Coordinates of all heavy atoms in Angstrom, one line a residue:
D23 N 0.8 -1.2 0.0 CA 0.0 0.0 0.0 C 0.9 1.3 0.0 O 0.6 2.2 -0.7 CB -1.0 0.0 1.2 CG -1.9 1.1 1.2 OD1 -2.5 1.3 0.1 OD2 -2.2 1.7 2.2
T24 N 1.9 1.3 0.8 CA 2.8 2.4 0.9 C 3.6 2.6 -0.4 O 3.8 3.7 -0.9 CB 3.8 2.3 2.0 OG1 3.0 2.0 3.2 CG2 4.6 3.5 2.2
Q25 N 3.9 1.5 -1.1 CA 4.6 1.6 -2.4 C 3.8 2.2 -3.4 O 4.3 2.8 -4.4 CB 5.2 0.2 -2.8 CG 6.2 -0.3 -1.8 CD 6.6 -1.7 -2.2 OE1 5.9 -2.4 -3.0 NE2 7.8 -2.1 -1.6
Q26 N 2.5 2.1 -3.4 CA 1.6 2.6 -4.5 C 1.3 4.1 -4.4 O 0.9 4.7 -5.3 CB 0.3 1.8 -4.5 CG 0.4 0.4 -4.9 CD -0.9 -0.3 -5.0 OE1 -1.9 0.3 -4.5 NE2 -1.0 -1.5 -5.5
K27 N 1.6 4.7 -3.3 CA 1.3 6.1 -3.1 C 2.0 7.0 -4.0 O 1.4 7.9 -4.6 CB 1.5 6.5 -1.6 CG 0.4 6.0 -0.7 CD 0.6 6.5 0.7 CE -0.5 5.9 1.6 NZ -0.3 6.4 3.0
P28 N 3.3 6.8 -4.2 CA 4.0 7.7 -5.2 C 3.5 7.5 -6.6 O 3.4 8.5 -7.3 CB 5.5 7.3 -5.1 CG 5.6 6.7 -3.7 CD 4.3 6.0 -3.5
L29 N 3.2 6.2 -7.0 CA 2.7 6.0 -8.3 C 1.3 6.7 -8.5 O 1.1 7.3 -9.5 CB 2.6 4.5 -8.5 CG 1.9 4.0 -9.9 CD1 2.9 4.5 -11.0 CD2 1.7 2.6 -9.8
L30 N 0.4 6.5 -7.5 CA -0.9 7.2 -7.6 C -0.7 8.6 -7.6 O -1.6 9.4 -8.4 CB -1.8 6.7 -6.5 CG -2.2 5.2 -6.5 CD1 -3.0 4.9 -5.3 CD2 -3.0 4.9 -7.8
F31 N 0.1 9.2 -6.8 CA 0.3 10.6 -6.9 C 0.9 11.1 -8.2 O 0.4 12.1 -8.7 CB 1.3 11.1 -5.7 CG 1.6 12.5 -5.7 CD1 0.6 13.4 -5.2 CD2 2.8 13.1 -6.1 CE1 0.8 14.8 -5.2 CE2 3.0 14.4 -6.1 CZ 2.0 15.3 -5.6
G32 N 1.8 10.4 -8.8 CA 2.3 10.7 -10.1 C 1.2 10.7 -11.2 O 1.1 11.6 -12.0
I33 N 0.3 9.7 -11.1 CA -0.8 9.6 -12.0 C -1.7 10.7 -11.9 O -2.2 11.3 -12.8 CB -1.5 8.2 -11.9 CG1 -0.6 7.1 -12.4 CG2 -2.8 8.2 -12.7 CD1 -1.1 5.7 -12.1
Y34 N -2.0 11.1 -10.6 CA -2.9 12.2 -10.3 C -2.3 13.5 -10.9 O -3.0 14.4 -11.5 CB -3.1 12.3 -8.8 CG -3.8 13.6 -8.4 CD1 -5.2 13.8 -8.6 CD2 -3.1 14.8 -8.0 CE1 -5.8 14.9 -8.4 CE2 -3.8 15.9 -7.6 CZ -5.1 16.1 -7.8 OH -5.7 17.1 -7.5
C35 N -1.0 13.8 -10.7 CA -0.4 14.9 -11.2 C -0.4 15.0 -12.7 O -0.7 16.1 -13.3 CB 1.1 15.0 -10.7 SG 1.3 15.3 -8.9
I36 N -0.2 13.9 -13.4 CA -0.2 13.9 -14.8 C -1.6 14.2 -15.3 O -1.9 14.9 -16.3 CB 0.3 12.6 -15.4 CG1 1.8 12.4 -15.2 CG2 0.0 12.5 -16.9 CD1 2.4 11.1 -15.4
T37 N -2.6 13.6 -14.7 CA -4.0 13.8 -15.0 C -4.4 15.3 -14.8 O -5.1 15.8 -15.7 CB -5.0 12.9 -14.2 OG1 -4.5 11.5 -14.5 CG2 -6.4 13.1 -14.6
A38 N -4.0 15.8 -13.7 CA -4.4 17.3 -13.4 C -3.8 18.2 -14.3 O -4.4 19.1 -14.8 CB -4.0 17.6 -11.9
F39 N -2.5 17.9 -14.8 CA -1.8 18.7 -15.7 C -2.5 18.6 -17.1 O -2.8 19.6 -17.7 CB -0.3 18.3 -15.8 CG 0.4 19.1 -16.8 CD1 0.8 20.4 -16.6 CD2 0.8 18.5 -18.1 CE1 1.6 21.1 -17.5 CE2 1.4 19.2 -19.0 CZ 1.9 20.5 -18.7
S40 N -2.9 17.4 -17.5 CA -3.5 17.2 -18.8 C -4.8 17.9 -18.9 O -5.1 18.5 -19.9 CB -3.6 15.7 -19.1 OG -2.3 15.1 -19.0
V41 N -5.6 17.8 -17.9 CA -7.0 18.3 -17.8 C -6.9 19.8 -17.9 O -7.7 20.5 -18.6 CB -7.7 17.8 -16.6 CG1 -9.1 18.6 -16.4 CG2 -8.1 16.4 -16.7
N42 N -6.0 20.5 -17.2 CA -5.9 21.9 -17.1 C -5.0 22.5 -18.2 O -4.8 23.7 -18.3 CB -5.4 22.3 -15.8 CG -6.4 22.0 -14.7 OD1 -7.5 22.2 -14.8 ND2 -5.9 21.5 -13.6
L43 N -4.5 21.7 -19.1 CA -3.5 22.2 -20.2 C -4.2 23.0 -21.2 O -3.7 24.1 -21.5 CB -2.9 21.0 -20.9 CG -1.8 21.3 -21.8 CD1 -0.6 22.0 -21.2 CD2 -1.3 20.0 -22.5
G44 N -5.4 22.7 -21.7 CA -5.9 23.4 -22.8 C -7.3 23.9 -22.7 O -7.7 24.8 -23.3
L45 N -8.1 23.2 -21.9 CA -9.5 23.5 -21.9 C -9.8 24.9 -21.2 O -10.8 25.6 -21.7 CB -10.3 22.4 -21.1 CG -10.3 21.1 -21.8 CD1 -11.0 20.1 -21.0 CD2 -10.8 21.2 -23.2
G46 N -9.1 25.3 -20.2 CA -9.3 26.5 -19.6 C -9.0 27.8 -20.4 O -9.5 28.8 -20.2
I47 N -8.1 27.5 -21.4 CA -7.7 28.6 -22.2 C -8.9 29.2 -23.1 O -8.9 30.4 -23.4 CB -6.6 28.2 -23.2 CG1 -5.9 29.4 -23.8 CG2 -7.0 27.3 -24.3 CD1 -5.0 30.2 -22.8
T48 N -9.9 28.4 -23.3 CA -11.0 29.0 -24.1 C -11.8 30.0 -23.3 O -12.5 30.8 -23.9 CB -11.9 27.8 -24.5 OG1 -12.4 27.1 -23.3 CG2 -11.2 26.8 -25.5
S49 N -11.7 30.0 -22.0 CA -12.4 31.0 -21.2 C -11.8 32.4 -21.4 O -12.5 33.3 -21.2 CB -12.3 30.6 -19.7 OG -13.0 29.4 -19.4
F50 N -10.6 32.4 -21.9 CA -10.0 33.8 -22.1 C -9.7 34.1 -23.5 O -9.8 35.2 -23.9 CB -8.6 33.8 -21.3 CG -8.8 33.4 -19.8 CD1 -8.4 32.3 -19.3 CD2 -9.3 34.4 -19.0 CE1 -8.6 31.9 -18.0 CE2 -9.5 34.1 -17.7 CZ -9.1 32.9 -17.1
S51 N -9.4 33.1 -24.3 CA -9.1 33.4 -25.7 C -10.3 33.6 -26.6 O -10.3 34.5 -27.4 CB -8.2 32.2 -26.3 OG -9.0 31.1 -26.3
L52 N -11.4 32.9 -26.4 CA -12.5 33.1 -27.2 C -13.2 34.5 -27.0 O -13.5 35.2 -28.0 CB -13.5 32.0 -27.2 CG -13.2 30.7 -27.9 CD1 -14.2 29.7 -27.6 CD2 -13.1 31.0 -29.4
P53 N -13.4 34.9 -25.7 CA -14.0 36.2 -25.5 C -13.1 37.3 -26.1 O -13.6 38.3 -26.6 CB -14.2 36.2 -24.1 CG -14.4 34.9 -23.6 CD -13.5 34.1 -24.5
A54 N -11.8 37.2 -25.9 CA -10.9 38.2 -26.4 C -10.9 38.3 -27.9 O -10.8 39.4 -28.4 CB -9.5 37.9 -25.9
A55 N -11.1 37.2 -28.6 CA -11.2 37.2 -30.1 C -12.6 37.6 -30.6 O -12.7 38.2 -31.7 CB -10.9 35.9 -30.6
L56 N -13.7 37.4 -29.8 CA -15.0 37.7 -30.3 C -15.6 39.0 -30.0 O -16.3 39.6 -30.8 CB -15.9 36.6 -29.8 CG -15.6 35.2 -30.2 CD1 -16.6 34.2 -29.5 CD2 -15.8 35.0 -31.7
F57 N -15.2 39.6 -28.9 CA -15.8 40.8 -28.4 C -15.1 42.0 -28.8 O -13.9 42.0 -28.9 CB -16.0 40.8 -26.9 CG -16.8 39.7 -26.4 CD1 -16.5 38.9 -25.3 CD2 -18.1 39.3 -27.0 CE1 -17.2 37.9 -24.8 CE2 -18.8 38.3 -26.5 CZ -18.5 37.6 -25.4
D58 N -15.8 43.1 -29.1 CA -15.2 44.4 -29.5 C -14.3 44.9 -28.3 O -14.6 44.6 -27.2 CB -16.4 45.4 -29.8 CG -15.9 46.7 -30.3 OD1 -15.0 46.6 -31.3 OD2 -16.3 47.7 -29.9
K59 N -13.3 45.6 -28.6 CA -12.4 46.1 -27.6 C -13.0 47.0 -26.5 O -12.6 47.0 -25.4 CB -11.3 47.0 -28.4 CG -10.1 47.2 -27.5 CD -9.1 48.1 -28.2 CE -8.3 47.3 -29.3 NZ -7.2 48.0 -29.9
K60 N -14.1 47.7 -26.9 CA -14.7 48.6 -25.9 C -15.5 47.8 -24.8 O -15.5 48.2 -23.7 CB -15.7 49.5 -26.5 CG -15.0 50.6 -27.5 CD -16.0 51.4 -28.1 CE -15.3 52.4 -29.1 NZ -16.3 53.3 -29.8
I61 N -15.9 46.6 -25.2 CA -16.7 45.8 -24.2 C -16.1 44.5 -23.8 O -16.6 43.7 -23.1 CB -18.1 45.5 -24.8 CG1 -18.0 44.7 -26.0 CG2 -18.9 46.8 -24.9 CD1 -19.3 44.3 -26.6
R62 N -14.8 44.3 -24.3 CA -14.1 43.0 -24.1 C -13.9 42.6 -22.6 O -14.3 41.5 -22.3 CB -12.7 43.1 -24.7 CG -12.0 41.7 -24.8 CD -10.7 41.8 -25.6 NE -11.1 42.1 -26.9 CZ -10.2 42.6 -27.8 NH1 -9.0 42.9 -27.4 NH2 -10.7 42.8 -29.1
A63 N -13.6 43.5 -21.8 CA -13.3 43.1 -20.3 C -14.7 42.7 -19.7 O -14.7 41.8 -19.0 CB -12.7 44.3 -19.6
T64 N -15.7 43.5 -19.9 CA -17.0 43.2 -19.3 C -17.6 41.9 -19.8 O -17.9 41.1 -19.0 CB -18.0 44.4 -19.6 OG1 -17.4 45.6 -19.1 CG2 -19.3 44.1 -18.9
F65 N -17.5 41.7 -21.1 CA -18.1 40.5 -21.6 C -17.2 39.3 -21.4 O -17.8 38.2 -21.2 CB -18.4 40.7 -23.1 CG -19.6 41.4 -23.4 CD1 -20.1 42.5 -22.7 CD2 -20.5 40.9 -24.4 CE1 -21.2 43.2 -23.0 CE2 -21.7 41.5 -24.7 CZ -22.1 42.6 -24.0
N66 N -15.9 39.4 -21.2 CA -15.0 38.3 -20.9 C -15.5 37.9 -19.5 O -15.5 36.7 -19.2 CB -13.7 38.8 -20.9 CG -12.7 37.7 -20.8 OD1 -13.0 36.5 -20.6 ND2 -11.4 37.9 -21.1
G67 N -15.7 38.8 -18.5 CA -16.1 38.5 -17.2 C -17.4 37.9 -17.2 O -17.6 36.9 -16.4
I68 N -18.3 38.4 -17.9 CA -19.7 37.7 -18.0 C -19.6 36.3 -18.6 O -20.2 35.3 -17.9 CB -20.7 38.6 -18.8 CG1 -20.9 39.9 -18.1 CG2 -21.9 37.8 -19.1 CD1 -21.7 40.9 -19.0
A69 N -18.9 36.0 -19.5 CA -18.7 34.7 -20.2 C -18.0 33.8 -19.2 O -18.5 32.6 -19.0 CB -17.8 34.8 -21.4
A70 N -17.0 34.2 -18.4 CA -16.4 33.4 -17.4 C -17.3 33.1 -16.2 O -17.4 32.0 -15.8 CB -15.1 34.1 -16.9
A71 N -18.1 34.1 -15.8 CA -19.0 33.9 -14.7 C -20.1 32.9 -15.1 O -20.5 32.0 -14.3 CB -19.7 35.2 -14.3
M72 N -20.6 33.0 -16.4 CA -21.7 32.1 -16.8 C -21.1 30.6 -16.9 O -21.9 29.6 -16.5 CB -22.2 32.5 -18.2 CG -23.0 33.8 -18.1 SD -24.5 33.5 -17.1 CE -24.1 34.5 -15.7
G73 N -19.8 30.4 -17.3 CA -19.3 29.1 -17.3 C -19.1 28.6 -15.9 O -19.4 27.4 -15.7
K74 N -18.7 29.3 -14.9 CA -18.6 28.9 -13.6 C -20.0 28.6 -13.0 O -20.2 27.7 -12.3 CB -17.9 30.0 -12.7 CG -16.6 30.5 -13.2 CD -15.5 29.7 -12.9 CE -14.1 30.3 -13.4 NZ -13.9 30.5 -14.7
F75 N -21.0 29.4 -13.3 CA -22.4 29.2 -12.8 C -22.9 28.0 -13.4 O -23.6 27.1 -12.7 CB -23.3 30.4 -13.2 CG -24.7 30.3 -12.7 CD1 -25.0 30.3 -11.4 CD2 -25.7 30.0 -13.6 CE1 -26.3 30.2 -10.9 CE2 -27.0 29.8 -13.2 CZ -27.3 29.9 -11.8
G76 N -22.7 27.7 -14.7 CA -23.2 26.4 -15.3 C -22.5 25.2 -14.7 O -23.2 24.2 -14.5
A77 N -21.2 25.3 -14.4 CA -20.6 24.2 -13.7 C -21.1 24.0 -12.3 O -21.4 22.8 -11.8 CB -19.1 24.5 -13.6
F78 N -21.4 25.1 -11.6 CA -22.0 24.9 -10.3 C -23.4 24.2 -10.3 O -23.7 23.3 -9.6 CB -22.2 26.3 -9.6 CG -22.9 26.3 -8.4 CD1 -22.5 25.7 -7.2 CD2 -24.3 26.7 -8.3 CE1 -23.2 25.7 -6.0 CE2 -25.0 26.8 -7.2 CZ -24.5 26.3 -6.0
V79 N -24.2 24.7 -11.2 CA -25.6 24.1 -11.3 C -25.6 22.7 -11.7 O -26.2 21.9 -11.1 CB -26.4 25.0 -12.3 CG1 -27.7 24.3 -12.7 CG2 -26.7 26.3 -11.8
G80 N -24.7 22.3 -12.7 CA -24.6 21.0 -13.1 C -24.0 20.1 -12.0 O -24.6 19.0 -11.8
A81 N -23.0 20.6 -11.3 CA -22.5 19.7 -10.2 C -23.4 19.6 -9.0 O -23.5 18.5 -8.4 CB -21.1 20.3 -9.7
F82 N -24.1 20.6 -8.8 CA -25.1 20.6 -7.6 C -26.3 19.7 -7.9 O -26.8 18.9 -7.1 CB -25.5 22.0 -7.3 CG -26.4 22.0 -6.1 CD1 -26.0 21.9 -4.8 CD2 -27.8 22.2 -6.3 CE1 -26.9 21.9 -3.7 CE2 -28.6 22.3 -5.2 CZ -28.2 22.1 -4.0
S83 N -26.8 19.8 -9.2 CA -28.0 19.1 -9.5 C -27.8 17.7 -9.9 O -28.8 16.9 -10.0 CB -28.9 19.9 -10.6 OG -28.1 20.0 -11.8
F84 N -26.6 17.3 -10.3 CA -26.3 16.0 -10.8 C -26.9 14.9 -9.9 O -27.6 13.9 -10.4 CB -24.8 15.8 -11.1 CG -24.5 14.5 -11.8 CD1 -24.4 14.5 -13.1 CD2 -24.1 13.4 -11.1 CE1 -24.0 13.4 -13.8 CE2 -23.8 12.3 -11.7 CZ -23.7 12.2 -13.1
P85 N -26.5 14.8 -8.6 CA -27.0 13.8 -7.7 C -28.5 13.7 -7.6 O -29.1 12.6 -7.5 CB -26.3 14.0 -6.4 CG -25.6 15.3 -6.5 CD -25.6 15.8 -7.8
Y86 N -29.2 14.8 -7.6 CA -30.6 14.9 -7.4 C -31.3 14.3 -8.7 O -32.2 13.6 -8.6 CB -31.1 16.2 -7.1 CG -30.5 16.8 -5.8 CD1 -29.6 17.8 -5.8 CD2 -30.9 16.2 -4.6 CE1 -29.1 18.3 -4.6 CE2 -30.4 16.6 -3.3 CZ -29.5 17.7 -3.4 OH -29.0 18.2 -2.2
I87 N -30.8 14.7 -9.8 CA -31.4 14.3 -11.1 C -31.1 12.7 -11.2 O -32.0 12.0 -11.7 CB -30.8 15.0 -12.3 CG1 -31.3 16.6 -12.1 CG2 -31.4 14.5 -13.6 CD1 -30.7 17.5 -13.1
A88 N -29.8 12.3 -10.9 CA -29.5 10.9 -11.0 C -30.3 10.0 -10.1 O -30.6 8.9 -10.4 CB -28.0 10.7 -10.7
E89 N -30.7 10.6 -8.9 CA -31.6 9.8 -8.0 C -33.0 9.8 -8.5 O -33.7 8.8 -8.3 CB -31.5 10.5 -6.6 CG -32.2 9.7 -5.5 CD -32.0 10.4 -4.2 OE1 -31.0 10.7 -3.8 OE2 -33.1 10.7 -3.6
A90 N -33.4 10.8 -9.1 CA -34.8 10.8 -9.6 C -35.0 9.9 -10.9 O -36.1 9.4 -11.1 CB -35.3 12.3 -9.9
V91 N -34.1 10.0 -11.7 CA -34.1 9.1 -13.0 C -32.9 8.2 -12.9 O -32.5 7.9 -11.8 CB -34.0 10.0 -14.2 CG1 -35.3 10.8 -14.4 CG2 -32.8 10.9 -14.3
S92 N -32.3 7.7 -13.9 CA -31.2 6.8 -13.9 C -29.9 7.6 -14.1 O -29.9 8.6 -14.8 CB -31.4 5.7 -14.9 OG -31.3 6.2 -16.2
F93 N -28.9 7.0 -13.7 CA -27.5 7.5 -13.8 C -27.2 7.6 -15.4 O -26.6 8.6 -15.8 CB -26.5 6.7 -13.1 CG -25.1 7.2 -13.1 CD1 -24.7 8.3 -12.4 CD2 -24.2 6.6 -13.9 CE1 -23.5 8.9 -12.4 CE2 -22.9 7.1 -14.0 CZ -22.5 8.2 -13.2
E94 N -27.6 6.6 -16.1 CA -27.3 6.5 -17.5 C -28.0 7.6 -18.3 O -27.5 8.2 -19.2 CB -27.7 5.2 -18.1 CG -26.8 4.0 -17.6 CD -27.3 3.5 -16.2 OE1 -28.3 3.9 -15.7 OE2 -26.5 2.7 -15.7
L95 N -29.2 7.9 -17.8 CA -30.0 9.0 -18.5 C -29.3 10.4 -18.2 O -29.2 11.2 -19.1 CB -31.4 9.0 -18.0 CG -32.3 10.2 -18.6 CD1 -32.4 10.0 -20.1 CD2 -33.7 10.1 -17.9
V96 N -28.8 10.6 -17.0 CA -28.1 11.8 -16.7 C -26.8 12.0 -17.5 O -26.5 13.0 -18.1 CB -27.8 11.9 -15.2 CG1 -26.9 13.1 -14.9 CG2 -29.0 11.9 -14.4
L97 N -26.1 10.9 -17.7 CA -24.9 11.0 -18.5 C -25.3 11.2 -20.0 O -24.6 11.9 -20.7 CB -24.1 9.7 -18.5 CG -23.4 9.5 -17.1 CD1 -22.6 8.2 -17.1 CD2 -22.5 10.6 -16.7
G98 N -26.4 10.6 -20.5 CA -26.9 10.9 -21.8 C -27.3 12.3 -22.1 O -27.0 12.9 -23.1
I99 N -28.0 12.9 -21.0 CA -28.3 14.3 -21.1 C -27.1 15.2 -21.1 O -27.0 16.1 -21.9 CB -29.2 14.7 -19.9 CG1 -30.6 14.0 -20.0 CG2 -29.4 16.2 -19.7 CD1 -31.5 14.2 -18.8
C100 N -26.1 14.9 -20.3 CA -24.8 15.6 -20.3 C -24.1 15.5 -21.7 O -23.6 16.5 -22.2 CB -23.8 15.1 -19.3 SG -24.4 15.5 -17.6
A101 N -24.2 14.3 -22.3 CA -23.6 14.1 -23.6 C -24.4 15.0 -24.6 O -23.7 15.6 -25.6 CB -23.6 12.7 -24.0
G102 N -25.7 14.9 -24.6 CA -26.5 15.7 -25.5 C -26.2 17.2 -25.4 O -26.1 17.9 -26.4
V103 N -26.1 17.7 -24.2 CA -25.9 19.2 -23.9 C -24.5 19.5 -24.5 O -24.3 20.6 -25.2 CB -26.0 19.5 -22.5 CG1 -25.4 20.9 -22.2 CG2 -27.4 19.4 -22.1
S104 N -23.5 18.6 -24.3 CA -22.2 18.9 -25.0 C -22.2 18.9 -26.4 O -21.6 19.8 -27.1 CB -21.2 17.8 -24.4 OG -21.1 17.9 -23.0
I105 N -23.0 18.0 -27.0 CA -23.0 18.0 -28.5 C -23.7 19.2 -29.0 O -23.3 19.8 -29.9 CB -23.7 16.7 -28.9 CG1 -22.8 15.5 -28.7 CG2 -24.1 16.8 -30.4 CD1 -23.5 14.2 -28.9
V106 N -24.8 19.6 -28.4 CA -25.5 20.9 -28.7 C -24.6 22.1 -28.6 O -24.5 22.9 -29.5 CB -26.8 21.0 -27.9 CG1 -27.3 22.5 -28.1 CG2 -27.8 20.0 -28.3
G107 N -23.8 22.2 -27.5 CA -22.8 23.2 -27.3 C -21.8 23.3 -28.4 O -21.4 24.3 -28.9
A108 N -21.3 22.1 -28.8 CA -20.3 22.0 -29.8 C -20.9 22.5 -31.2 O -20.2 23.2 -32.0 CB -19.7 20.6 -30.0
V109 N -22.0 22.0 -31.5 CA -22.7 22.4 -32.8 C -23.0 24.0 -32.8 O -22.7 24.6 -33.8 CB -24.0 21.6 -33.0 CG1 -24.8 22.2 -34.1 CG2 -23.7 20.2 -33.2
V110 N -23.5 24.5 -31.7 CA -23.8 25.9 -31.7 C -22.5 26.7 -31.8 O -22.4 27.7 -32.5 CB -24.5 26.3 -30.4 CG1 -24.5 27.8 -30.1 CG2 -25.9 25.7 -30.3
S111 N -21.4 26.3 -31.1 CA -20.1 26.9 -31.3 C -19.6 26.9 -32.7 O -19.1 27.9 -33.3 CB -19.0 26.3 -30.4 OG -19.4 26.4 -29.0
Q112 N -19.7 25.8 -33.4 CA -19.3 25.7 -34.8 C -20.1 26.6 -35.7 O -19.6 27.2 -36.7 CB -19.3 24.2 -35.2 CG -18.2 23.4 -34.6 CD -16.9 23.8 -35.0 OE1 -16.5 24.2 -36.2 NE2 -16.0 23.8 -34.0
V113 N -21.4 26.6 -35.5 CA -22.3 27.4 -36.3 C -22.0 28.9 -36.1 O -22.0 29.7 -37.1 CB -23.8 27.1 -36.1 CG1 -24.7 28.1 -36.7 CG2 -24.1 25.7 -36.5
Y114 N -21.9 29.3 -34.9 CA -21.8 30.8 -34.7 C -20.4 31.4 -34.6 O -20.2 32.6 -34.6 CB -22.5 31.1 -33.3 CG -24.0 31.0 -33.6 CD1 -24.7 30.0 -33.0 CD2 -24.7 32.0 -34.3 CE1 -26.1 29.9 -33.2 CE2 -26.1 31.9 -34.4 CZ -26.8 30.9 -33.9 OH -28.1 30.8 -34.1
L115 N -19.4 30.5 -34.6 CA -18.0 31.1 -34.7 C -17.5 31.1 -36.1 O -17.6 30.1 -36.8 CB -17.1 30.2 -33.8 CG -17.2 30.3 -32.3 CD1 -16.3 29.4 -31.7 CD2 -17.0 31.7 -31.8
D116 N -17.0 32.2 -36.6 CA -16.7 32.4 -38.0 C -15.3 31.8 -38.2 O -15.0 31.5 -39.4 CB -16.6 33.9 -38.3 CG -18.0 34.5 -38.4 OD1 -18.9 33.8 -38.6 OD2 -18.0 35.8 -38.1
Q117 N -14.5 31.6 -37.2 CA -13.1 31.2 -37.5 C -13.0 29.7 -37.5 O -13.2 28.9 -36.9 CB -12.3 31.7 -36.3 CG -12.3 33.2 -36.2 CD -11.7 33.8 -35.0 OE1 -11.4 33.0 -34.0 NE2 -11.7 35.0 -34.9

C-alpha cells in the first residue's frame, strides 16, 4: 500500500496537468477574439461567470437528477448538452 502512493500521486499529477492544459484557455481566448475592444473586459467577465455558474448548477443538481431518474440518463443528457454546445459553437464562430 505504501509503495503505491508515489505512483498514484504521479498519475494524479499527470491527469491534473493534462486536464488543465488546454480547456481553460477557451475561457480567455474566445471572448478576447470575439468581443469588441470597448466591451471586451466586461463580456469576458460575464462569459467566465456564466461558465462557472453552469458548472455549479450541473455539479449541484447531478446527484438529485441521477436519484430521480437513472444515472445513464443523466450521462446521456450531459452528452447531449455537450453535443449541442459543440454544434452551436461551430455554427456561430466564424473562425
